[in-house]
Amino acid sequence: MRVAMIGTGYVGLVSGTCFSDFGHDVTCVDMDVSKIERLKAGIMPIFEPGLDELVARNVAGGRLRFTTDLAEAVAEAEVVFIAVGTPSRRGDGHADLSYVHAAAREIARAANGFTVVVTKSTVPVGTGADLEHIIREATPEADIAVVSNPEFLREGAAIEDFKRPDRIVVGTDDPRAREVMKALYRPLSLNAAPLLFTERANAELIKYASNAFLAMKITFINELADLCEKVGGDVQEVARGIGLDRRIGPKFLHAGPGYGGSCFPKDTLALTRTAQEAGTPIRLIETVATVNETRKAAMGRKVLEALSVPPRGATVAVLGLTFKPNTDDMRDSPAINIIQSLVDRGVKIRAYDPVGMEEARKVLPDAVMYATGPYECAEGADCLVIVTEWDAFRALDLDRLKAQLRTPVTRRIR
Ligand SMILES: NC(=O)c1ccc[n+]([C@@H]2O[C@H](COP(=O)([O-])OP(=O)(O)OC[C@H]3O[C@@H](n4cnc5c(N)ncnc54)[C@H](O)[C@@H]3O)[C@@H](O)[C@H]2O)c1
């Protein structure tokens, strides 16, 4: 099956590559010329374990290619995915749909024969209907069906998640589109992935509801961690005790510095805006978003409190910068808030991350120094903070680390 993937970011690149690995003929399109040039040269724009080999294998097999020519890719495709960004709109927190709308207009002009247009981008309920309208307005004779097929992959485990998903959600009531989507995902059905066909609006809602629920779980355990700290409990033990209940499950019950990343912050906000506008506010998720922001801000204060020397002129070593391990994604990483609040108080920062330092340099204050490894990072520091739970930090020699510090302080902050 011939597939065009519009937007070759995290989602577009991973899903396009995986579709090609299943034998489909995929063209990944992006308007970022340098990204496409680098991909053609075999250079990955993101760090995702296993992605470079998978891309190389499928490019060599002639099933995967990269281009900036959207019109040509769309004209040849039976299925066109929209996988462009939907960031928070400045000012009101709604999903900014300008990239999605622009892509739809370009697709409308280029589509040739019956074409299934699939939104993989996370978009608010009703967007599929709007896209149908946009496409019909641009090209009244276009023979298209607009389908919602939200993506649930996790950065850092994206290939495995795409190939062995818990479920594939497809929102459409068009019988022809349904057959096309079935054929497209047939290779995954052999992996026993449940294919859930539903109305388009339901599919759009399922994505936001899933992310909001997971964000809520994280926030719940984070608040419980604060309680444990005050009353003398161990939140890890409490989480284990809760998670063994199959109705609850153990996942997303790890207390930490607050959720970040490219999805949860913007998606929780967008869902609350949609609900407010519909006159049915989801107060639970509004609170989750507020509590999470407060937590990120509080983490810097906790580090300052733990320091045994005055902040001005002190050095804090920070291990882990990305919003989670196995990615170089710095979008909305809690490390940004923590480091900024320390820098604001005159603290010097020396940081280390196994793969995220190049991205980190783009968003962290210029004054941050970067180390070549965890022990170098700790050298002469007054405090060491582990922000991201990279595997590489799990078996550090704590005695050696302590010996590197100028004024070692041992305190557990959650
Ligand atoms: N990152 C994740 O883990 C994840 C998971 C599930 C869903 N999503 C959703 O998927 C969507 C994409 O997220 P992402 O992280 O891959 O974004 P991204 O910012 O990494 O990539 C988006 C890409 O689209 C390109 N683009 C924008 N407009 C274009 C156009 N008209 N033509 C061609 N290319 C265009 C941009 O240049 C960019 O390379 C978002 O809606 C996001 O919420 C992301």
Side-chain angles (χ1 to χ4, degrees):
M1 191 163 271
R2 277 160 308 161
V3 176
M5 187 65 67
I6 313 304
T8 309
Y10 228 110
V11 166
L13 180 56
V14 170
S15 21
T17 304
C18 290
F19 277 132
S20 71
D21 204 44
F22 285 129
H24 295 306
D25 189 338
V26 180
T27 304
C28 287
V29 181
D30 208 285
M31 59 185 186
D32 181 337
V33 180
S34 76
K35 186 181 270 191
I36 292 298
E37 288 309 317
R38 278 179 287 146
L39 278 164
K40 282 180 175 170
I43 303 165
M44 296 301 108
I46 50 167
F47 173 82
E48 181 62 38
L51 185 62
D52 42 4
E53 296 106 85
L54 205 63
V55 168
R57 185 163 83 216
N58 287 289
V59 168
R63 294 179 295 272
L64 178 63
R65 65 200 67 81
F66 301 100
T67 183
T68 52
D69 190 341
L70 182 145
E72 191 182 51
V74 168
E76 287 171 357
E78 298 151 87
V79 188
V80 178
F81 280 93
I82 299 180
V84 300
T86 48
S88 267
R89 196 162 67 189
R90 265 172 191 269
D92 65 7
H94 267 295
D96 177 353
L97 294 175
S98 55
Y99 300 102
V100 173
H101 289 169
R105 276 188 285 272
E106 287 187 73
I107 293 166
R109 285 193 286 272
N112 181 14
F114 178 59
T115 308
V116 181
V117 177
V118 190
T119 47
K120 217 167 221 335
S121 300
T122 302
V123 292
V125 59
T127 303
D130 292 344
L131 294 187
E132 216 164 74
H133 184 71
I134 288 173
I135 293 174
R136 296 219 183 287
E137 210 171 52
T139 311
E141 69 283 6
D143 187 12
I144 51 110
V146 176
V147 171
S148 167
N149 171 218
E151 184 50 59
F152 300 98
L153 59 78
R154 291 165 304 164
E155 294 184 12
I159 294 170
E160 180 63 15
D161 281 356
F162 192 90
K163 290 193 165 185
R164 284 174 224 290
D166 290 342
R167 78 300 205 191
I168 299 154
V169 175
V170 178
T172 181
D173 51 15
D174 182 305
R176 286 190 297 170
R178 194 185 158 103
E179 289 313 308
V180 169
M181 295 305 283
K182 255 193 202 162
L184 183 73
Y185 277 111
R186 195 173 46 233
L188 270 83
S189 68
L190 300 174
N191 290 352
L195 191 51
L196 171 69
F197 279 101
T198 182
E199 297 277 309
R200 191 167 55 198
N202 294 339
E204 291 166 339
L205 283 165
I206 286 168
K207 174 63 193 176
Y208 280 101
S210 300
N211 275 1
F213 191 87
L214 294 173
M216 182 178 73
K217 235 179 144 183
I218 295 173
T219 305
F220 172 78
I221 203 67
N222 282 345
E223 289 216 292
L224 220 61
D226 288 342
L227 177 65
C228 286
E229 213 169 79
K230 283 277 186 271
V231 299
D234 179 342
V235 72
Q236 265 171 331
E237 285 293 300
V238 176
R240 215 168 99 76
I242 305 170
L244 285 169
D245 184 329
R246 270 173 297 173
R247 292 168 302 177
I248 298 173
K251 304 237 171 99
F252 285 75
L253 285 180
H254 299 286
Y259 59 78
S262 66
C263 293
F264 286 2
K266 77 172 177 68
D267 292 348
T268 44
L269 204 57
L271 179 65
T272 60
R273 292 293 180 263
T274 300
Q276 282 160 3
E277 274 186 9
T280 54
I282 306 183
R283 282 182 289 269
L284 192 59
I285 302 305
E286 289 173 11
T287 304
V288 163
T290 310
V291 169
N292 192 60
E293 283 312 303
T294 311
R295 183 169 190 81
K296 286 206 244 177
M299 280 294 141
R301 283 200 300 276
K302 287 191 178 197
V303 175
L304 286 169
E305 281 165 23
L307 272 177
S308 59
V309 293
R312 189 155 295 280
T315 299
V316 169
V318 178
L319 292 188
L321 298 170
T322 52
F323 85 95
K324 66 168 171 176
N326 295 325
T327 177
D328 62 349
D329 203 336
M330 283 294 296
R331 289 180 279 187
D332 265 321
S333 172
I336 302 172
N337 305 60
I338 295 171
I339 289 174
Q340 188 60 58
S341 65
L342 294 175
V343 168
D344 289 346
R345 293 292 303 276
V347 173
K348 291 187 204 139
I349 304 289
R350 191 172 327 110
Y352 171 72
D353 187 280
V355 300
M357 292 202 286
E358 200 181 317
E359 288 301 309
R361 280 177 209 275
K362 298 177 190 168
V363 292
L364 291 179
D366 289 341
V368 172
M369 296 168 285
Y370 295 89
T372 51
Y375 299 104
E376 294 74 25
C377 188
E379 213 173 293
D382 298 287
C383 172
L384 177 115
V385 188
I386 300 180
V387 178
T388 316
E389 49 179 351
W390 282 91
D391 279 349
F393 301 149
R394 286 179 194 265
L396 288 175
D397 178 344
L398 293 184
D399 290 332
R400 185 176 161 202
L401 212 53
K402 189 171 177 181
Q404 301 284 82
L405 294 173
R406 188 164 53 191
T407 54
V409 184
T410 310
R411 185 152 145 200
R412 203 183 226 183
I413 300 176
R414 290 208 177 91

